[in-house]
Amino acid sequence: MGAALSEEIVYRHAIEGLFLRSVGKRLTPELKDRLRAIGLDLDVKLPHHTPRRVFAEALGITARYLHPEVDAQEGYRRLGTGIITGLEHTLLGKALVSLWPIFGPDRVLSRMQESFATVNNYLKTELITHGRADHTIKVSECNGNPGYLMGIIEAGLMKAGAKNVRVEPFDFNGHACSYRVRWDP
C-alpha cells in the first residue's frame, strides 16, 4: 500500500545509504534492537519508504549510540559526514564524488541542495548566494537537529575542494533551519 500523499516519508535509498553503507559495521545487534523498537527493522527487506518520525528518531538514537562522547549536534554532524563517505563506497557514488573537484564547491552546493529533495517527500530548500564561496541554504526540516545536514554539506564541499569550510546553522526552530555556508575562495 502506498503512502498517503500527506505522509512525510524518507525513501529506502536514504535509509540504506545511512545505515547499511555509512554506519555499516558499526551497526551492532544492540543498535539494531534499539532501531527495531521504534519501527526500523534493518534485518528485513526495507520498505520503499519510512515515516519521517521514525527516521528522525533513528537519527537521534544512532548519533547518541555511535558518538556518546560528544554533544548531540556533533554526533548528528558526524552521521552526516559519514553519508558522503558511504556514498563513495558505491560504484556510482565513487564516480560522482570524483567529479566534484571539477565542478567546484559552488556548483556542488547547488546540486547538493537539489539532491536533498531526492531522499524524502517533505524537505524544501532555498539556496541564497551572497557571493563566491558565501551562501545561505534554508531547509524546511532538519529531523530534530541541524547537525546532520551540516555534516553532509561540510563533507561534500570538502570533497569538492573547498578549503576552511564553515557551515553555521542558525534560526533552528526544532524543524526548519538555515545554514550560512562559507569557505576560502
Side-chain angles (χ1 to χ4, degrees):
M1 178 188 288
L5 290 178
S6 63
E7 182 183 12
E8 294 180 337
I9 58 172
V10 177
Y11 303 123
R12 176 175 37 210
H13 68 272
I15 301 295
E16 290 172 343
L18 175 60
F19 292 101
L20 304 181
R21 283 191 294 281
S22 179
V23 174
K25 293 177 182 172
R26 298 175 298 155
L27 194 57
T28 65
E30 180 184 358
L31 179 54
K32 282 184 177 182
D33 287 345
R34 289 182 186 186
L35 296 173
R36 188 177 302 109
I38 62 156
L40 182 60
D41 189 347
L42 298 171
D43 288 327
V44 299
K45 183 176 183 203
L46 292 171
H48 290 286
H49 62 271
T50 297
R52 184 194 68 76
R53 174 196 55 75
V54 172
F55 178 71
E57 196 170 343
L59 278 176
I61 289 168
T62 305
R64 285 187 303 275
Y65 183 85
L66 295 178
H67 307 290
E69 73 284 1
V70 297
D71 69 25
Q73 183 167 295
E74 177 61 15
Y76 276 81
R77 189 192 70 74
R78 289 179 184 184
L79 285 181
T81 299
I83 279 292
I84 301 300
T85 303
L87 179 65
E88 290 182 292
H89 288 102
T90 67
L91 195 56
L92 181 60
K94 186 175 184 174
L96 177 66
V97 173
S98 73
L99 294 174
W100 288 357
I102 296 166
F103 296 150
D106 288 290
R107 193 163 167 201
V108 166
L109 181 63
S110 177
R111 292 288 189 187
M112 189 182 305
Q113 173 249 323
E114 293 167 6
S115 295
F116 287 156
T118 69
V119 300
N120 60 55
N121 72 343
Y122 56 86
L123 184 66
K124 305 291 184 238
T125 63
E126 178 184 3
L127 181 65
I128 302 164
T129 299
H130 306 289
R132 186 163 180 263
D134 187 3
H135 306 270
T136 297
I137 186 168
K138 296 180 178 186
V139 298
S140 62
E141 181 59 59
C142 292
N143 292 304
N145 191 299
Y148 182 64
L149 293 178
M150 183 175 138
I152 292 172
I153 295 166
E154 182 181 278
L157 290 173
M158 290 171 54
K159 291 288 182 186
K163 303 291 184 221
N164 297 316
V165 176
R166 296 168 308 282
V167 180
E168 301 157 349
F170 65 97
D171 288 342
F172 177 57
N173 69 6
H175 293 280
C177 188
S178 296
Y179 300 86
R180 189 68 184 258
V181 182
R182 295 179 237 179
W183 59 90
D184 294 347

